[in-house]
């Protein structure tokens, strides 16, 4: 009996063969095409409509033995969740991996906690991290990359997506921001001053900002004199990549980040890096869904 808040952790539970043990989910999971079997499960939390809420009464009624969540404060505080779990006799496991290796270790940990089988997922990780290391070992250039959500919300070094940039043989300029936050809002004047040397700008979709909306934003950026103070805009290197829940989104805290590394590498290094779509299909096949 497992309650899972983030879709990313639910994907890992499924990949280790224990999706059938999930009894309660966060609302966002209903949008995840990798998790169709969970769409009718009881909802224990929501934040998709900017109104965050945890349904404690539903969670208590389910009486899960294990609760999985990220350590990042979102629906509730970690203390709230831990106090609640103690009252109902449940175990809480909070995850905060900041590196790709941390993602692998978290996946192994989830397999152990749920009694799942890590073998196939471990093979996927090991195979592709080995390929990525071999490819980047032959690349000398390390382009400067900046990843942002809508407006000036910058992906920082405490976000595992930043480490995916490093794995892809590039440098995340968001590492210049000194903060513990995973995504940090930078004011416009400082933004253009600090990140003018970015060679590639990545605009990330989310459950709140669609690809269509980002295409409009990208067009505005490319036409903006202010934005042309950033090298990436002058060069036309403004990319849209997914951090939402559709099958084209790989900038997520889940095994999807592996094809995401290939995607970043391909966009900044060109054909020196293998295509990511084949890797995505391989992962989705493990999930039992088409891509």
């Amino acid at each position: 009996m497992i309650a899972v808040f983030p879709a990313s952790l639910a994907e890992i539970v499924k990949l280790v063969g224990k999706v059938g043990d999930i009894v309660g989910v966060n609302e966002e999971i209903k949008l995840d095409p990798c998790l169709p079997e969970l769409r009718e499960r009881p909802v224990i939390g929501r934040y998709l409509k900017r109104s965050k809420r945890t349904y404690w009464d539903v969670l208590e009624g389910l009486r899960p033995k294990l609760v999985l969540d990220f350590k990042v404060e979102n629906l509730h505080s970690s203390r709230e969740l831990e106090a609640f779990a103690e009252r109902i006799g449940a175990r809480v496991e909070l995850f905060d991996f900041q590196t790709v290796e941390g993602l692998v270790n978290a996946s192994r940990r989830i397999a152990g906690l749920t009694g799942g089988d890590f073998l196939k997922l471990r093979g996927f990780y090991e195979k592709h991290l080995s390929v990525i290391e071999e490819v980047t070992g032959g690349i000398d250039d390390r382009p400067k990359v900046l990843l942002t959500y809508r407006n000036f919300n910058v992906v920082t070094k405490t976000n595992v997506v930043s480490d995916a940039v490093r794995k892809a043989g590039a440098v995340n300029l968001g590492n210049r921001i000194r903060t513990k936050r995973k995504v940090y809002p930078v004011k416009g004047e400082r933004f253009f001053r600090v990140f003018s040397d970015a060679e590639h700008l990545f605009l990330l979709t989310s459950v709140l900002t669609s690809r269509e909306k980002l295409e409009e934003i990208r067009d505005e950026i490319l036409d903006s004199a202010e934005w042309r103070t950033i090298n990436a805009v002058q060069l036309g290197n403004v990319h849209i990549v997914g951090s939402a829940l559709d099958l084209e989104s790989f900038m997520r805290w889940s095994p999807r980040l592996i094809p995401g590394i290939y995607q970043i590498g391909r966009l900044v290094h060109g054909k020196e890096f293998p295509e990511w779509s084949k890797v995505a299909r391989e992962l989705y096949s493990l999930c039992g869904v088409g891509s």
Side-chain angles (χ1 to χ4, degrees), residues 39-52:
R39 288 174 188 160
E40 303 304 318
R41 295 289 198 279
V43 173
I44 56 176
R46 58 173 270 177
Y47 58 74
L48 294 183
K49 299 177 181 177
R50 298 187 187 274
S51 59
K52 300 178 182 180

Side-chain angles (χ1 to χ4, degrees), residues 176-207:
R176 292 173 177 173
I177 303 297
R178 294 184 179 181
T179 179
K180 293 181 179 180
R181 295 172 65 174
K182 310 298 183 184
V183 178
Y184 190 82
V186 180
K187 291 183 178 180
E189 183 179 344
R190 183 188 181 199
F191 181 92
F192 293 113
R193 183 178 71 253
V194 172
F195 302 122
S196 62
D197 57 337
E199 298 168 85
H200 290 267
L201 176 62
F202 286 80
L203 308 178
L204 277 66
T205 69
S206 72
V207 293

Side-chain angles (χ1 to χ4, degrees), residues 143-149 151-155 171-174 191-192 195-204 214 217-222 227-228 230-241 264 267-268:
K144 296 174 183 177
V145 167
L146 183 65
L147 299 100
T148 69
Y149 289 91
N151 299 321
F152 303 112
N153 297 297
V154 175
V155 172
V171 177
N172 177 27
L173 297 189
F191 181 92
F192 293 113
F195 302 122
S196 62
D197 57 337
E199 298 168 85
H200 290 267
L201 176 62
F202 286 80
L203 308 178
L204 277 66
L214 277 185
I217 293 173
R218 179 183 60 188
D219 291 343
E220 293 171 1
I221 287 173
L222 291 171
W227 276 92
R228 280 197 292 274
I230 294 181
N231 289 344
V233 179
Q234 295 181 35
L235 296 168
N237 293 334
V238 182
H239 316 285
I240 296 175
V241 292
I264 294 170
L267 289 171
V268 301

Side-chain angles (χ1 to χ4, degrees), residues 74-98:
N74 42 46
L75 295 174
H76 39 248
S77 72
S78 300
R79 289 183 180 180
E80 277 184 294
L81 184 58
E82 289 169 341
F84 175 82
E86 183 177 1
R87 182 163 63 80
I88 67 170
R91 176 173 183 168
V92 172
E93 288 290 330
L94 302 176
F95 295 88
D96 182 20
F97 41 84
Q98 299 180 15

